[in-house]
Amino acid sequence: MSALGDSFCGVELVSIRECISTSDVVIVAIHREYFRSTLQDVAHLLADKVVVDVSNRETLKVAQSNAEYLASILPGASVVKAFNSVSAFAMDDISESGTSPAVYVAGNDPEAREKVIILAQAMGFRAVNLGLLKASRWMEDDLLSVFPLWKMPIALATAIFVLAWVFVVYIYFINRDKPPYSWEQLFMKVLNKPVCMTAIAMMALTYLPGQLASVLQIYYGTKHRRFPQFMDFWLKCRKQMGLVSFFLVIIHAVLSVMMISPTYYGSWFHKATVTVPANSTLNSALVLTVSKHWMTWKGESACLLGTLAFVLMGVVAVTSIRSVGDSLNWSEWRSVQSNLGYIVLAVSAAHATVMGAQGWYKRGFPKVFFAVTFLSVLLPFLVLAMKLAFSLPPLSGYLRKIRRGWEREGARYGDLEGGGNGQQAYCNLPGSSGGARQGNGDCCGDNIELEKSGSGAAFGGNKNAQVTF
Ligand SMILES: NC(=O)C1=CN([C@@H]2O[C@H](COP(=O)(O)OP(=O)(O)OC[C@H]3O[C@@H](n4cnc5c(N)ncnc54)[C@H](OP(=O)(O)O)[C@@H]3O)[C@@H](O)[C@H]2O)C=CC1
Ligand SMILES: [Cu+2]
């Protein structure tokens, strides 16, 4: 061993027994399958020591985490789960990168946990205390799941897009004797419509769960009840839904700008007409100079509202980046994520309304339901109406009372332990809403206390996701 030790850059190589006898904190850096064979003979030596499990699993959702398994082999030791989310590369890189990656720490013994937190901080990491060892299940699961919060928003956007595309093709090509567009326009002019419908629907769906949460809280008469599991998940995905909407808005804006011309947007431009007098006898060639295709008020206002929505949504999206969000205080972050978010939704709905309102009037009921712009604004206006209703007395005051802990007599508690996201044992997990029970449900939250374990903002995720209790 001493011969080998020279090649370890000063790290002393000793036997397992010697290592244990000379250390207060022992880091077990072997794979799970070797825990028992390697450690059961020295279990007695590890009693009263802090044993750090850094291992990872290869399968999701097991009844017992690696750390819990290790604790069962070493009953006397204080097992702490930590460092499993930090790759060997990151360990090597930390001194040069200038950043401090998060190290999550979980263990049943608070003193042992504290020791490992101090150790992680001394190594240059940002330690996040996750509480009891049970949290190690989440710590191990988290590394195995790939973009868990993106799957639903992307699947939903795809489904809405396909439906909208089929609808657009039906109303413009199949249900018409003389289609208003050529099949050649399928790639931009026609495609831009379902893109726009999906973008605005996703934007509305980002803000809808916050409003539904308000409905549920009023119905329950208490904030101390879990939301149904799908609501909990929906609340958690709001950042991703908002970003999917933003990406679609970018595509919509670029396609629209490329097509802006009297040919593509006839009603947005004044017609340039040349009148040849009826009695004129033309002795020479007739020269027609067609110009002055300036926009009508409809074209200009639709463009203005579209541009405003795009730019403001960019601001909301940028503050959803964690490092940017962290640089804002609570009030600033809330103004952007909630207030500005609803303004973006209202401006987007106004953009579609300006474009379509004349057509809706001409079509009348029920044909108006075949108007792309009309269908696009239904959901946004529903969400905005709910927001308005919950922001005005008497509902605003009632909701505020509930969110500050007041409970109605005969409040509907339901099954407190059922439902939810199954993470109730460790509600301060990063990114977990845990807010199924506590979440305020508002897109941004009216109550900072709730926000600690609450549902976070619509777009920005959970401002205090990394709060250490
Ligand atoms: N590498 C990484 O970036 C990260 C790794 N981890 C976790 O750290 C642990 C170690 O990972 P890593 O170092 O990459 O893996 P390696 O395969 O490189 O190292 C495994 C270690 O286990 C020892 N070992 C292998 N077989 C046995 C056995 N039969 N009995 C006892 N000991 C054995 C090896 O000893 P020997 O040298 O004598 O063969 C070696 O020290 C794993 O649980 C992994 O999940 C966690 C986060 C990041
Ligand atoms: Cu548009």
Side-chain angles (χ1 to χ4, degrees):
M1 269 193 201
S2 58
L4 270 177
D6 294 341
S7 58
F8 279 88
C9 308
V11 175
E12 199 183 343
L13 209 57
V14 294
S15 70
I16 292 179
R17 283 172 186 272
E18 201 180 334
C19 168
I20 295 171
S21 65
T22 53
S23 313
D24 291 332
V25 178
V26 177
I27 297 178
V28 178
I30 55 176
H31 298 281
R32 175 192 169 115
E33 54 270 36
Y34 306 125
F35 283 178
R36 191 174 291 281
S37 59
T38 311
L39 297 171
Q40 69 180 0
D41 289 346
V42 291
H44 60 287
L45 298 176
L46 285 166
D48 301 326
K49 303 257 178 189
V50 178
V51 177
V52 184
D53 169 38
V54 301
S55 68
N56 279 308
R57 273 188 268 129
E58 281 169 11
T59 47
L60 263 168
K61 307 271 177 212
V62 291
Q64 191 185 39
S65 68
N66 285 2
E68 289 172 306
Y69 172 61
L70 184 62
S72 72
I73 298 171
L74 309 173
S78 299
V79 174
V80 175
K81 181 91 199 178
F83 300 110
N84 69 312
S85 61
V86 186
S87 70
F89 172 76
M91 290 249 181
D92 206 28
D93 190 47
I94 183 153
S95 52
E96 287 145 36
S97 68
T99 56
S100 52
V103 161
Y104 303 114
V105 183
N108 291 341
D109 176 357
E111 271 179 39
R113 216 162 54 207
E114 198 52 40
K115 266 190 188 166
V116 178
I117 286 175
I118 292 169
L119 178 70
Q121 286 167 342
M123 290 166 75
F125 293 104
R126 187 165 45 89
V128 182
N129 185 348
L130 291 189
L132 300 181
L133 196 61
K134 211 172 175 183
S136 58
R137 293 182 202 170
W138 174 84
M139 289 165 66
E140 293 169 16
D141 275 349
D142 189 52
L143 291 193
L144 292 173
S145 41
V146 183
F147 299 121
L149 295 179
W150 283 95
K151 286 178 191 157
M152 192 277 271
I154 290 174
L156 188 64
T158 309
I160 296 173
F161 176 81
V162 170
L163 276 178
W165 190 85
V166 169
F167 172 76
V168 166
V169 168
Y170 174 76
I171 59 167
Y172 288 118
F173 291 97
I174 299 171
N175 195 32
R176 298 258 184 118
D177 294 335
K178 208 168 161 241
Y181 304 122
S182 148
W183 285 99
E184 286 176 318
Q185 291 178 287
L186 273 181
F187 303 98
M188 275 186 36
K189 178 70 186 174
V190 177
L191 186 85
N192 203 21
K193 293 174 190 290
V195 168
C196 169
M197 289 173 94
T198 314
I200 200 164
M202 289 299 288
M203 203 187 297
L205 289 172
T206 304
Y207 291 93
L208 182 60
Q211 299 311 315
L212 290 181
S214 300
V215 173
L216 283 178
Q217 283 180 330
I218 289 174
Y219 172 72
Y220 294 156
T222 172
K223 67 171 183 176
H224 298 114
R225 174 170 172 176
R226 285 182 183 283
F227 294 134
Q229 204 164 349
F230 80 92
M231 272 280 294
D232 184 40
F233 188 64
W234 193 357
L235 286 162
K236 271 200 270 176
C237 292
R238 285 179 294 172
K239 171 176 172 170
Q240 288 72 14
M241 295 184 68
L243 288 174
V244 167
S245 168
F246 182 55
F247 298 142
L248 291 166
V249 164
I250 294 175
I251 298 174
H252 174 62
V254 173
L255 288 180
S256 303
V257 167
M258 286 198 288
M259 286 185 295
I260 285 194
S261 72
T263 319
Y264 274 88
Y265 290 92
S267 66
W268 286 22
F269 289 85
H270 286 290
K271 304 269 182 292
T273 52
V274 176
T275 311
V276 180
N279 59 353
S280 76
T281 48
L282 294 171
N283 295 325
S284 54
L286 173 67
V287 179
L288 299 178
T289 309
V290 181
S291 62
K292 291 192 176 170
H293 270 103
W294 57 61
M295 281 192 183
T296 59
W297 70 268
K298 179 178 148 182
E300 290 220 353
S301 52
C303 285
L304 172 70
L305 290 165
T307 308
L308 271 180
F310 177 55
V311 172
L312 295 179
M313 200 175 184
V315 176
V316 183
V318 166
T319 55
S320 78
I321 300 169
R322 176 163 294 177
S323 55
V324 180
D326 284 350
S327 69
L328 303 176
N329 70 26
W330 168 254
S331 307
E332 293 162 345
W333 187 77
R334 195 190 152 195
S335 331
V336 175
Q337 288 299 326
S338 180
N339 303 345
L340 190 60
Y342 282 102
I343 290 173
V344 171
L345 188 61
V347 174
S348 307
H351 163 72
T353 304
V354 164
M355 287 177 65
Q358 279 176 338
W360 307 345
Y361 182 72
K362 269 191 221 154
R363 284 166 191 252
F365 186 80
K367 280 193 180 160
V368 69
F369 282 97
F370 282 91
V372 166
T373 46
F374 184 77
L375 289 181
S376 301
V377 299
L378 286 180
L379 198 55
F381 278 131
L382 172 74
V383 174
L384 289 167
M386 289 171 87
K387 171 72 182 166
L388 190 68
F390 293 130
S391 306
L392 295 174
L395 286 182
S396 60
Y398 191 68
L399 260 175
R400 191 177 151 77
K401 265 199 314 188
I402 290 179
R403 288 175 186 169
R404 292 177 88 88
W406 175 85
E407 301 193 325
R408 191 174 59 218
E409 213 170 302
R412 298 174 167 88
Y413 291 102
D415 172 14
L416 281 184
E417 295 312 314
N421 58 8
Q423 292 178 334
Q424 48 272 55
Y426 28 91
C427 71
N428 52 338
L429 294 177
S432 122
S433 84
R437 185 166 164 190
Q438 285 237 340
N440 52 41
D442 185 4
C443 260
C444 181
D446 284 337
N447 188 333
I448 194 164
E449 259 171 54
L450 298 179
E451 200 56 29
K452 278 186 176 169
S453 59
S455 52
F459 224 105
N462 197 338
K463 166 85 171 148
N464 293 306
Q466 303 242 348
V467 167
T468 301
F469 289 136

